[in-house]
Amino acid sequence: MLVYTLKRLGLALLVTLAVSMLSFALLYLSGDPAAAIAGETANAEDIEAVRIYYGFDRPWVVQYGEWMFNAIRGDFGTSYYFKLPVSQLVAERLSVTMLLGVCGISFALLTAVPLGVAAAVRPNSIIDRIALFLSVMGQAMPSFWFGLVLIVLFSIKLRILPPSGSDNWQNFVMPTIVLGYYAMPAIMRLTRAGMLDVLGADYVRTARAKGAGEFRVMFKHALRNAIIPVVSLAAVQMGFMLGGSIVVESIFALHGAGYLAWESIGRNDLPTVQALILVFSMFYIVFTFLSDLLNAWLDPRMRVG
Amino acid sequence: MENILSVRGLTVDIPLAAGTLHAVRGIDFDVKRGETLCVVGESGSGKSLTSLAIMGLLPKQAQRSAQVLDFEGVDLQTASNRDMRKLRGNRISMIFQEPMTSLNPAYTIGDQLMEALLLHRKVPKPVARDRAIELLEKVGITAAANRMKQYPHQLSGGLRQRVMIAMALMGEPDLIIADEPTTALDVTIQAQILRLLKDLQRELNMAMILITHDLGVVARVADKVAIMYAGEMVEAGSAAEVFTAPKHPYTRGLLNCIPVPGKTAVGEHLGSIPGIVPSLIDDVDGCAFRSRCDEATAQCASDIPARISPAGHLYRCVHDYDMNQPKSGKA
């Protein structure tokens, strides 16, 4: 298990390094950064002055090394737009996004897993049909549309939830539902398929033959084996929620990191975009690493490095 | 001695799109303490469904009915789910055909062994652990304490089947049902596992139902033999009776299929039974074996009542067979 953990950790670090190089390269992929900062009215001399001021005239390797060294210390430079330290900016916005992401994935898991198990226990029953209907709806409705429907219903007609903002918990109810419902169908269908598969397994019959009750058979013997692919999927979706909830954050005007990324791209605020890309990628890397560890704990056969 | 298990008129029906499949069609048998009953039959003859019907573990869509299904005074047909759970793994244990997939890959051997006891007895965990180690040693596993910490994928098929046997014994059952326990194993391991089962059954004075399609196995361990064909028990009696004086043409066909050391000449053709098992969907009239039987007559199309020989040997055939007559048809 230790060897496995170290190997996974090494892999995660390598991916981090690759991602950091890519997000650094972004600076140059989107054109001349000095020209972008100097603005459209600047002449060649101004651009040159900006280039020297920001250090864009130095070799790439030196610039990357400096950027990476500072990033490790939590210094991502200064936002071109806000003239504030990027790290401070990102940290503020990230707390909103993380809260939303955790709520969203919890909502998705807490609805999808029990529903998936119930659907698998009685295939083609009314519960299975309802679960199928809910998952097809979730797949088919775009988040922005579903979000707007909720706003119309709960904020305008019923007036029980605020349509926008991020000041108190009521602001998070609708975004959580929209974001969670987006992730729910895949988790639910995967849980159902996994359970159906496992419930026909010989070891489930063995558990029954031992005299184990239905609840124990379902949750101790079957679900632990069926949930393994779900863990990997949920990890990816969690990464997506922490990085990609731009649409949901925009609709509900939640000032989160996704919203900041979207704004910063429009403003050509490259240090902020770089920092956000690195942070979002780190989420994926960390969650993948954690899901690998969790899966190895669930299934001993995976522990072999 | 009193019967531990009595079965009369057990049927299992499975509704299918094409009609009802009569997988088990009214079988009768008894097992006493300390006795081994071997149920023999080919694939699809209903042997496994019979054992699952006793355990109450039939697939959901299967329908079971019986005139008598009695385990030590408990009517298994009217017993609640809760009562059945208390019997399973505790007083009636089962060993399955497929040791490679019958253990849960996510838990250690120790966890799974201890669970079998902890589900039924309020004993402290260390007691369950000691009992598990003791039984692992009993089924011939060395370094049992270390094996307890291992996972199924770290063990070979033979070891896993030994673990399954140890698990079946955790609750000191009165009846053990072994459904083709050696089919998936190497021939050398098969003999070891069988001897082990037989020894344990004698030592613990359990009743055992051994399901198999291997007559060689039967000859070694059976006290009583029941031959199943197409969901019906076509012949049943003591092992000695069935082997030396088979009454049913199907039993004789089966016995003809196995080589006998010293009697079967090198290069001699072994017997085979021509034809295939009839479809059991919808009603089956008369003798199900008649389409494959050399001795079939018009009489065989009518219902065949069970007959009992003076030696207490049950068979379902209208013909009387004289062992001294030359075999008809086959060379």
Side-chain angles (χ1 to χ4, degrees):
Chain A
M1 188 73 185
L2 185 67
V3 176
Y4 174 83
T5 308
L6 289 177
K7 273 189 182 174
R8 291 281 130 186
L9 197 61
L11 202 62
L13 287 176
L14 278 179
V15 176
T16 310
L17 193 68
V19 166
S20 75
M21 285 176 185
L22 281 176
S23 48
F24 176 75
L26 198 71
L27 197 62
Y28 286 94
L29 287 176
S30 54
D32 184 354
I37 295 164
E40 282 170 23
T41 55
N43 58 28
E45 271 170 46
D46 293 339
I47 295 175
E48 211 45 46
V50 169
R51 196 187 307 284
I52 289 164
Y53 177 77
Y54 282 100
F56 296 143
D57 56 334
R58 294 172 302 162
W60 273 38
V61 184
V62 175
Q63 289 185 53
Y64 170 71
E66 187 190 60
W67 179 75
M68 199 55 215
F69 179 70
N70 288 331
I72 290 169
R73 293 183 310 165
D75 177 7
F76 290 96
T78 308
S79 160
Y80 297 163
Y81 180 83
F82 292 100
K83 310 292 178 205
L84 285 169
V86 171
S87 46
Q88 183 195 330
L89 210 58
V90 171
E92 266 172 35
R93 300 296 192 90
L94 215 50
S95 59
V96 172
T97 297
M98 280 167 79
L99 182 61
L100 179 59
V102 170
C103 289
I105 198 79
S106 307
F107 176 77
L109 286 172
L110 289 176
T111 52
V113 173
L115 212 54
V117 171
V121 171
R122 293 187 201 290
N124 300 321
S125 66
I126 195 82
I127 294 176
D128 191 17
R129 296 288 161 86
I130 291 171
L132 179 65
F133 175 75
L134 286 176
S135 71
V136 170
M137 288 264 292
Q139 290 285 35
M141 288 192 303
S143 295
F144 72 87
W145 185 79
F146 184 47
L148 291 176
V149 168
L150 289 186
I151 289 175
V152 168
L153 190 64
F154 290 103
S155 303
I156 300 174
K157 297 267 192 240
L158 299 172
R159 295 179 175 279
I160 48 174
L161 288 170
S164 64
S166 48
D167 305 321
N168 57 41
W169 67 268
Q170 282 106 328
N171 289 114
F172 286 89
V173 175
M174 289 194 292
T176 295
I177 293 173
V178 173
L179 201 58
Y181 193 28
Y182 176 80
M184 187 271 249
I187 298 178
M188 203 278 283
R189 297 306 286 178
L190 201 60
T191 306
R192 179 185 181 273
M195 281 298 280
L196 272 181
D197 198 34
V198 166
L199 285 176
D202 289 342
Y203 56 81
V204 166
R205 187 182 54 189
T206 305
R208 290 208 174 97
K210 270 195 227 180
E214 268 318 281
F215 192 81
R216 192 180 178 90
V217 169
M218 289 298 148
F219 290 94
K220 184 178 173 189
H221 289 276
L223 188 60
R224 176 153 173 177
N225 288 288
I227 206 80
I228 289 163
V230 176
V231 169
S232 309
L233 175 70
V236 174
Q237 283 183 329
M238 178 102 196
F240 169 80
M241 284 183 181
L242 292 181
S245 52
I246 299 174
V247 172
V248 175
E249 286 183 4
S250 306
I251 291 169
F252 295 98
L254 278 173
H255 290 286
Y259 195 54
L260 177 64
W262 182 65
E263 286 177 320
S264 300
I265 291 167
R267 292 171 188 142
N268 247 330
D269 190 355
L270 286 171
T272 313
V273 176
Q274 280 180 322
L276 285 169
I277 289 174
L278 195 62
V279 168
F280 291 161
S281 319
M282 285 300 293
F283 280 134
Y284 274 101
I285 294 165
V286 168
F287 287 119
T288 308
F289 175 67
L290 290 179
S291 84
D292 283 347
L293 289 192
L294 184 56
N295 273 343
W297 176 74
L298 286 169
D299 187 348
R301 286 169 298 184
M302 287 191 207
R303 286 174 207 167
V304 190
Chain B
M1 223 190 319
E2 198 147 317
N3 291 325
I4 276 197
L5 180 73
S6 287
V7 178
R8 292 289 176 274
L10 176 69
T11 66
V12 177
D13 290 340
I14 301 171
L16 298 174
T20 303
L21 174 71
H22 302 283
V24 178
R25 302 185 297 135
I27 64 171
D28 311 328
F29 63 87
D30 298 311
V31 199
K32 292 180 172 61
R33 190 174 285 281
E35 193 175 63
T36 299
L37 165 71
C38 279
V39 180
V40 186
E42 56 198 282
S43 304
S45 60
K47 346 181 264 299
S48 290
L49 284 174
T50 302
S51 59
L52 292 175
I54 297 164
M55 292 291 283
L57 289 175
L58 284 170
K60 267 184 203 145
Q61 67 275 21
Q63 291 152 5
R64 173 187 75 181
S65 78
Q67 282 126 39
V68 179
L69 195 56
D70 180 285
F71 174 78
E72 295 235 289
V74 181
D75 181 358
L76 299 183
Q77 290 194 89
T78 55
S80 64
N81 284 339
R82 203 184 139 81
D83 290 339
M84 282 309 293
R85 250 191 350 254
K86 282 186 190 158
L87 289 179
R88 281 200 288 264
N90 185 21
R91 302 197 54 204
I92 310 177
S93 284
M94 188 153 175
I95 300 164
F96 296 99
Q97 199 177 127
E98 204 31 89
M100 301 307 278
T101 52
S102 290
L103 289 164
N104 193 326
Y107 297 98
T108 60
I109 301 304
D111 275 344
Q112 297 187 57
L113 281 165
M114 285 156 63
E115 185 185 24
L117 187 64
L118 294 172
L119 278 169
H120 300 288
R121 312 278 158 82
K122 283 202 172 77
V123 294
K125 270 196 169 183
V127 175
R129 182 181 307 278
D130 290 346
R131 168 122 182 108
I133 293 174
E134 181 196 324
L135 279 172
L136 283 180
E137 280 164 358
K138 203 181 203 87
V139 298
I141 292 180
T142 51
N146 291 328
R147 294 287 185 197
M148 292 282 284
K149 289 180 228 131
Q150 289 191 317
Y151 288 92
H153 72 275
Q154 293 167 304
L155 306 183
S156 68
L159 277 180
R160 288 189 213 186
Q161 197 60 301
R162 285 171 196 265
V163 171
M164 287 297 291
I165 294 171
M167 199 154 85
L169 297 175
M170 284 296 284
E172 297 175 68
D174 301 305
L175 170 66
I176 191 157
I177 303 174
D179 184 1
E180 307 207 28
T182 59
T183 306
L185 303 175
D186 286 342
V187 180
T188 47
I189 309 292
Q190 285 186 8
Q192 290 175 16
I193 295 284
L194 272 180
R195 199 167 312 130
L196 174 69
L197 268 175
K198 186 65 192 169
D199 290 347
L200 288 167
Q201 181 250 328
R202 271 203 207 110
E203 186 185 332
L204 304 172
N205 198 26
M206 299 178 294
M208 177 157 80
I209 299 176
L210 181 65
I211 292 166
T212 180
H213 57 245
D214 183 346
L215 282 169
V217 166
V218 179
R220 262 180 282 177
V221 299
D223 300 308
K224 288 199 298 198
V225 180
I227 310 285
M228 283 188 74
Y229 182 78
E232 218 169 25
M233 210 163 257
V234 293
E235 179 156 5
S238 73
E241 276 278 320
V242 173
F243 276 106
T244 56
K247 298 274 187 197
H248 198 281
Y250 179 63
T251 313
R252 289 197 295 277
L254 285 180
L255 290 171
N256 268 334
C257 296
I258 36 175
V260 183
K263 265 171 96 178
T264 311
V266 176
E268 185 186 329
H269 282 285
L270 294 173
S272 62
I273 305 174
I276 52 163
V277 183
S279 161
L280 298 180
I281 292 176
D282 296 329
D283 289 337
V284 180
D285 298 317
C287 176
F289 187 62
R290 68 178 188 278
S291 64
R292 303 170 73 181
C293 183
D294 295 335
E295 292 148 51
T297 58
Q299 238 186 315
C300 300
S302 57
D303 274 351
I304 312 296
R307 301 169 66 186
I308 296 180
S309 78
H313 183 154
L314 177 146
Y315 60 105
R316 258 172 222 281
C317 184
V318 292
H319 305 296
D320 285 308
Y321 179 72
D322 183 356
M323 281 299 281
N324 301 320
Q325 264 179 17
K327 266 187 226 109
S328 55
K330 270 180 263 172

